Amino acid sequence: MYPNRPSIMMECPQMQVENSRHYLQRWLAEQNIKIPIQCAVVLANQKTSVHEAPTEMQWLYAKHLPLFFHSQPPKDPILTPKQLDTLIQRLTEQQTLYNPSPLKNYYHIEEHMLRTGCLCNLCNAPLQKVSERKWRCVHCDRFEKSAIRQATQDYFLIFETELSNKQCREYLGVNQDAACYVLKNLPLLKVGFILLRQTTIT
């Protein structure tokens, strides 16, 4: 929870863990590996607030994990070092990269449903340009210094891996000179004459 920000309700973490447990158990059975599975919900963000948490599963913050592991009672090894290496190798080999981009296709988003341009990180209202590096929210009067970078990052996540001057103008709502300035001053790789492909925007 953050001051002056509305709370965001998340899907039940316990249900996510139970689903993961089910698929892991099925995978282990396919590999003919029999080991017990101990589950816990780990919350990465210290500001996360849990209301009416189910008591059937342990809930931890990420920073408490070292203490949790050290507090476990000693037990006899279930797998030999060789079996453990084999398990690690099989898990590594079957990992797949999660890449839902572009989100427009993954979530079947219609473009007219999206609010484009530079938006406030606090209230999601449109930002008004004050200078080349400074934007002001028309709703909460908050100032943003990285509005262009954030908006461009959003574009790559939602739409494409390439951004032309025309697309930049239409998405950000700026003129041609401003679009040229944006494309020139962001860490983008130029491809062809006018297209720019995303590298890393930080």
Side-chain angles (χ1 to χ4, degrees):
M1 300 178 66
Y2 292 89
N4 303 320
R5 291 194 186 184
S7 298
I8 300 175
M9 299 298 293
M10 305 286 290
E11 179 185 353
C12 177
Q14 180 170 342
M15 183 59 64
Q16 297 178 47
V17 173
E18 292 292 354
N19 287 336
S20 298
R21 185 214 299 262
H22 168 74
Y23 290 118
L24 179 57
Q25 285 177 330
R26 190 170 71 179
W27 183 85
L28 288 171
E30 292 172 354
Q31 307 300 315
N32 197 28
I33 298 175
K34 296 181 179 180
I35 55 174
I37 299 174
Q38 183 176 355
C39 292
V41 177
V42 180
L43 304 172
N45 192 334
Q46 299 301 310
K47 294 184 179 294
T48 302
S49 177
V50 180
H51 298 277
E52 300 179 1
T55 58
E56 302 85 34
M57 188 173 295
Q58 190 158 12
W59 295 67
L60 302 167
Y61 285 106
K63 71 175 185 179
H64 298 153
L65 280 176
L67 179 60
F68 170 75
F69 290 132
H70 287 302
S71 65
Q72 298 303 299
K75 298 179 180 179
D76 293 333
I78 299 173
L79 300 176
T80 66
K82 184 177 180 179
Q83 289 173 324
L84 181 58
D85 289 340
T86 300
L87 175 58
I88 294 172
Q89 182 179 354
R90 290 183 186 178
L91 284 170
T92 303
E93 290 173 349
Q94 298 198 26
Q95 287 187 48
T96 56
L97 179 64
Y98 177 71
N99 182 21
S101 184
L103 297 178
K104 176 175 70 73
N105 297 338
Y106 187 82
Y107 289 108
H108 308 289
I109 300 172
E110 299 292 337
E111 294 188 26
H112 69 272
M113 299 169 59
L114 297 173
R115 178 177 292 177
T116 59
C118 294
L119 305 176
C120 177
N121 286 328
L122 183 62
C123 67
N124 205 38
L127 295 176
Q128 186 177 57
K129 187 176 181 180
V130 177
S131 65
E132 291 297 341
R133 296 175 178 268
K134 201 171 186 180
W135 297 68
R136 183 183 66 83
C137 177
V138 299
H139 180 261
C140 66
D141 212 35
R142 172 189 173 95
F143 284 93
E144 299 278 359
K145 293 184 179 180
S146 58
I148 288 290
R149 286 177 177 264
Q150 183 61 57
T152 308
Q153 181 71 57
D154 291 344
Y155 175 88
F156 286 123
L157 289 173
I158 298 171
F159 294 106
E160 307 284 349
T161 58
E162 294 182 339
L163 176 64
S164 67
N165 185 289
K166 180 176 182 294
Q167 291 167 323
C168 182
R169 297 197 309 268
E170 292 175 349
Y171 184 76
L172 296 180
V174 297
N175 59 33
Q176 185 167 354
D177 289 340
C180 288
Y181 178 85
V182 169
L183 299 176
K184 181 180 179 181
N185 287 275
L186 290 177
L188 303 171
L189 175 65
K190 186 173 182 180
V191 178
F193 184 65
I194 59 171
L195 286 180
L196 294 156
R197 180 174 292 126
Q198 179 188 25
T199 53
T200 301
I201 299 178
T202 58

mmCIF file of all heavy atoms in Angstrom, residues 151-172:
data_model
loop_
_atom_site.group_PDB
_atom_site.id
_atom_site.type_symbol
_atom_site.label_atom_id
_atom_site.label_comp_id
_atom_site.label_asym_id
_atom_site.label_seq_id
_atom_site.Cartn_x
_atom_site.Cartn_y
_atom_site.Cartn_z
ATOM 1 N N ALA A 151 6.252 6.429 -21.604
ATOM 2 C CA ALA A 151 5.244 6.270 -22.652
ATOM 3 C C ALA A 151 5.785 5.434 -23.805
ATOM 4 O O ALA A 151 5.072 4.597 -24.370
ATOM 5 C CB ALA A 151 4.784 7.637 -23.147
ATOM 6 N N THR A 152 7.055 5.637 -24.159
ATOM 7 C CA THR A 152 7.649 4.870 -25.249
ATOM 8 C C THR A 152 7.812 3.403 -24.848
ATOM 9 O O THR A 152 7.575 2.497 -25.646
ATOM 10 C CB THR A 152 9.023 5.462 -25.626
ATOM 11 O OG1 THR A 152 8.882 6.868 -25.859
ATOM 12 C CG2 THR A 152 9.555 4.822 -26.900
ATOM 13 N N GLN A 153 8.206 3.174 -23.607
ATOM 14 C CA GLN A 153 8.302 1.804 -23.107
ATOM 15 C C GLN A 153 6.941 1.122 -23.155
ATOM 16 O O GLN A 153 6.827 -0.052 -23.551
ATOM 17 C CB GLN A 153 8.841 1.812 -21.675
ATOM 18 C CG GLN A 153 9.011 0.431 -21.071
ATOM 19 C CD GLN A 153 10.165 -0.328 -21.701
ATOM 20 O OE1 GLN A 153 11.298 0.128 -21.705
ATOM 21 N NE2 GLN A 153 9.866 -1.484 -22.254
ATOM 22 N N ASP A 154 5.900 1.843 -22.774
ATOM 23 C CA ASP A 154 4.544 1.300 -22.837
ATOM 24 C C ASP A 154 4.178 0.934 -24.267
ATOM 25 O O ASP A 154 3.541 -0.107 -24.508
ATOM 26 C CB ASP A 154 3.534 2.313 -22.292
ATOM 27 C CG ASP A 154 3.664 2.530 -20.789
ATOM 28 O OD1 ASP A 154 4.305 1.692 -20.116
ATOM 29 O OD2 ASP A 154 3.135 3.546 -20.294
ATOM 30 N N TYR A 155 4.566 1.779 -25.217
ATOM 31 C CA TYR A 155 4.249 1.505 -26.621
ATOM 32 C C TYR A 155 4.862 0.176 -27.064
ATOM 33 O O TYR A 155 4.196 -0.649 -27.684
ATOM 34 C CB TYR A 155 4.776 2.633 -27.515
ATOM 35 C CG TYR A 155 4.586 2.349 -28.984
ATOM 36 C CD1 TYR A 155 3.413 2.707 -29.636
ATOM 37 C CD2 TYR A 155 5.569 1.682 -29.721
ATOM 38 C CE1 TYR A 155 3.218 2.413 -30.977
ATOM 39 C CE2 TYR A 155 5.390 1.385 -31.064
ATOM 40 C CZ TYR A 155 4.213 1.754 -31.681
ATOM 41 O OH TYR A 155 4.021 1.451 -33.008
ATOM 42 N N PHE A 156 6.135 -0.035 -26.751
ATOM 43 C CA PHE A 156 6.809 -1.265 -27.165
ATOM 44 C C PHE A 156 6.176 -2.495 -26.502
ATOM 45 O O PHE A 156 6.067 -3.548 -27.118
ATOM 46 C CB PHE A 156 8.294 -1.203 -26.839
ATOM 47 C CG PHE A 156 9.081 -0.304 -27.761
ATOM 48 C CD1 PHE A 156 9.822 0.745 -27.269
ATOM 49 C CD2 PHE A 156 9.077 -0.523 -29.122
ATOM 50 C CE1 PHE A 156 10.548 1.560 -28.117
ATOM 51 C CE2 PHE A 156 9.802 0.289 -29.986
ATOM 52 C CZ PHE A 156 10.535 1.330 -29.480
ATOM 53 N N LEU A 157 5.763 -2.360 -25.256
ATOM 54 C CA LEU A 157 5.144 -3.485 -24.563
ATOM 55 C C LEU A 157 3.768 -3.813 -25.137
ATOM 56 O O LEU A 157 3.391 -4.979 -25.266
ATOM 57 C CB LEU A 157 5.017 -3.184 -23.068
ATOM 58 C CG LEU A 157 6.305 -3.157 -22.259
ATOM 59 C CD1 LEU A 157 6.027 -2.685 -20.841
ATOM 60 C CD2 LEU A 157 6.946 -4.542 -22.225
ATOM 61 N N ILE A 158 3.023 -2.772 -25.496
ATOM 62 C CA ILE A 158 1.644 -2.976 -25.943
ATOM 63 C C ILE A 158 1.541 -3.296 -27.421
ATOM 64 O O ILE A 158 0.786 -4.192 -27.827
ATOM 65 C CB ILE A 158 0.796 -1.726 -25.623
ATOM 66 C CG1 ILE A 158 0.748 -1.488 -24.113
ATOM 67 C CG2 ILE A 158 -0.625 -1.881 -26.173
ATOM 68 C CD1 ILE A 158 0.130 -0.167 -23.725
ATOM 69 N N PHE A 159 2.324 -2.606 -28.254
ATOM 70 C CA PHE A 159 2.111 -2.688 -29.693
ATOM 71 C C PHE A 159 3.186 -3.449 -30.462
ATOM 72 O O PHE A 159 2.972 -4.552 -30.916
ATOM 73 C CB PHE A 159 1.981 -1.276 -30.275
ATOM 74 C CG PHE A 159 0.768 -0.546 -29.797
ATOM 75 C CD1 PHE A 159 0.888 0.472 -28.871
ATOM 76 C CD2 PHE A 159 -0.494 -0.890 -30.247
ATOM 77 C CE1 PHE A 159 -0.228 1.147 -28.419
ATOM 78 C CE2 PHE A 159 -1.620 -0.220 -29.807
ATOM 79 C CZ PHE A 159 -1.487 0.803 -28.886
ATOM 80 N N GLU A 160 4.337 -2.846 -30.616
ATOM 81 C CA GLU A 160 5.305 -3.360 -31.574
ATOM 82 C C GLU A 160 6.711 -3.373 -30.980
ATOM 83 O O GLU A 160 6.942 -2.882 -29.886
ATOM 84 C CB GLU A 160 5.325 -2.471 -32.836
ATOM 85 C CG GLU A 160 3.967 -2.253 -33.482
ATOM 86 C CD GLU A 160 3.495 -3.464 -34.249
ATOM 87 O OE1 GLU A 160 4.311 -4.395 -34.455
ATOM 88 O OE2 GLU A 160 2.310 -3.498 -34.641
ATOM 89 N N THR A 161 7.647 -3.915 -31.757
ATOM 90 C CA THR A 161 9.068 -3.805 -31.403
ATOM 91 C C THR A 161 9.744 -2.745 -32.246
ATOM 92 O O THR A 161 10.943 -2.527 -32.120
ATOM 93 C CB THR A 161 9.785 -5.149 -31.624
ATOM 94 O OG1 THR A 161 9.627 -5.545 -32.988
ATOM 95 C CG2 THR A 161 9.218 -6.217 -30.717
ATOM 96 N N GLU A 162 8.993 -2.103 -33.116
ATOM 97 C CA GLU A 162 9.524 -1.047 -33.961
ATOM 98 C C GLU A 162 8.642 0.200 -33.851
ATOM 99 O O GLU A 162 7.426 0.093 -33.684
ATOM 100 C CB GLU A 162 9.625 -1.499 -35.419
ATOM 101 C CG GLU A 162 10.629 -2.616 -35.632
ATOM 102 C CD GLU A 162 10.740 -3.013 -37.097
ATOM 103 O OE1 GLU A 162 9.803 -2.730 -37.859
ATOM 104 O OE2 GLU A 162 11.776 -3.600 -37.457
ATOM 105 N N LEU A 163 9.284 1.357 -33.976
ATOM 106 C CA LEU A 163 8.576 2.627 -33.823
ATOM 107 C C LEU A 163 9.066 3.616 -34.866
ATOM 108 O O LEU A 163 10.249 3.951 -34.894
ATOM 109 C CB LEU A 163 8.811 3.192 -32.413
ATOM 110 C CG LEU A 163 8.211 4.564 -32.103
ATOM 111 C CD1 LEU A 163 6.686 4.500 -32.171
ATOM 112 C CD2 LEU A 163 8.648 5.024 -30.716
ATOM 113 N N SER A 164 8.169 4.056 -35.730
ATOM 114 C CA SER A 164 8.523 5.040 -36.755
ATOM 115 C C SER A 164 8.182 6.432 -36.252
ATOM 116 O O SER A 164 7.503 6.610 -35.233
ATOM 117 C CB SER A 164 7.761 4.751 -38.045
ATOM 118 O OG SER A 164 6.377 4.982 -37.861
ATOM 119 N N ASN A 165 8.605 7.437 -36.989
ATOM 120 C CA ASN A 165 8.292 8.821 -36.635
ATOM 121 C C ASN A 165 6.780 9.029 -36.633
ATOM 122 O O ASN A 165 6.228 9.674 -35.745
ATOM 123 C CB ASN A 165 8.976 9.773 -37.620
ATOM 124 C CG ASN A 165 8.800 11.229 -37.235
ATOM 125 O OD1 ASN A 165 7.716 11.782 -37.339
ATOM 126 N ND2 ASN A 165 9.886 11.848 -36.791
ATOM 127 N N LYS A 166 6.094 8.470 -37.621
ATOM 128 C CA LYS A 166 4.639 8.618 -37.719
ATOM 129 C C LYS A 166 3.944 7.958 -36.539
ATOM 130 O O LYS A 166 3.023 8.540 -35.944
ATOM 131 C CB LYS A 166 4.143 7.997 -39.031
ATOM 132 C CG LYS A 166 2.637 8.090 -39.264
ATOM 133 C CD LYS A 166 2.285 7.547 -40.628
ATOM 134 C CE LYS A 166 0.782 7.676 -40.904
ATOM 135 N NZ LYS A 166 -0.037 6.834 -40.007
ATOM 136 N N GLN A 167 4.368 6.757 -36.188
ATOM 137 C CA GLN A 167 3.770 6.066 -35.041
ATOM 138 C C GLN A 167 4.029 6.816 -33.752
ATOM 139 O O GLN A 167 3.168 6.877 -32.869
ATOM 140 C CB GLN A 167 4.326 4.643 -34.956
ATOM 141 C CG GLN A 167 3.864 3.734 -36.082
ATOM 142 C CD GLN A 167 4.664 2.442 -36.136
ATOM 143 O OE1 GLN A 167 5.876 2.445 -35.893
ATOM 144 N NE2 GLN A 167 3.996 1.343 -36.452
ATOM 145 N N CYS A 168 5.212 7.369 -33.634
ATOM 146 C CA CYS A 168 5.567 8.147 -32.449
ATOM 147 C C CYS A 168 4.665 9.371 -32.327
ATOM 148 O O CYS A 168 4.166 9.681 -31.239
ATOM 149 C CB CYS A 168 7.037 8.569 -32.522
ATOM 150 S SG CYS A 168 7.609 9.484 -31.076
ATOM 151 N N ARG A 169 4.446 10.072 -33.435
ATOM 152 C CA ARG A 169 3.579 11.260 -33.429
ATOM 153 C C ARG A 169 2.161 10.897 -33.009
ATOM 154 O O ARG A 169 1.541 11.576 -32.195
ATOM 155 C CB ARG A 169 3.561 11.917 -34.819
ATOM 156 C CG ARG A 169 4.901 12.446 -35.284
ATOM 157 C CD ARG A 169 4.737 13.424 -36.443
ATOM 158 N NE ARG A 169 3.914 12.912 -37.531
ATOM 159 C CZ ARG A 169 4.384 12.266 -38.591
ATOM 160 N NH1 ARG A 169 5.688 12.021 -38.674
ATOM 161 N NH2 ARG A 169 3.582 11.876 -39.560
ATOM 162 N N GLU A 170 1.645 9.806 -33.579
ATOM 163 C CA GLU A 170 0.265 9.425 -33.305
ATOM 164 C C GLU A 170 0.077 8.951 -31.863
ATOM 165 O O GLU A 170 -0.929 9.265 -31.225
ATOM 166 C CB GLU A 170 -0.159 8.324 -34.279
ATOM 167 C CG GLU A 170 -0.264 8.795 -35.722
ATOM 168 C CD GLU A 170 -0.574 7.656 -36.679
ATOM 169 O OE1 GLU A 170 -0.501 6.478 -36.252
ATOM 170 O OE2 GLU A 170 -0.884 7.930 -37.859
ATOM 171 N N TYR A 171 1.054 8.195 -31.353
ATOM 172 C CA TYR A 171 0.900 7.640 -30.010
ATOM 173 C C TYR A 171 1.116 8.691 -28.924
ATOM 174 O O TYR A 171 0.371 8.750 -27.944
ATOM 175 C CB TYR A 171 1.865 6.480 -29.803
ATOM 176 C CG TYR A 171 1.695 5.808 -28.464
ATOM 177 C CD1 TYR A 171 0.625 4.953 -28.231
ATOM 178 C CD2 TYR A 171 2.592 6.038 -27.420
ATOM 179 C CE1 TYR A 171 0.448 4.342 -27.000
ATOM 180 C CE2 TYR A 171 2.420 5.430 -26.188
ATOM 181 C CZ TYR A 171 1.347 4.594 -25.988
ATOM 182 O OH TYR A 171 1.180 3.999 -24.755
ATOM 183 N N LEU A 172 2.151 9.522 -29.096
ATOM 184 C CA LEU A 172 2.459 10.522 -28.076
ATOM 185 C C LEU A 172 1.678 11.818 -28.249
ATOM 186 O O LEU A 172 1.620 12.637 -27.331
ATOM 187 C CB LEU A 172 3.967 10.828 -28.079
ATOM 188 C CG LEU A 172 4.900 9.674 -27.706
ATOM 189 C CD1 LEU A 172 6.345 10.137 -27.746
ATOM 190 C CD2 LEU A 172 4.559 9.103 -26.345
#
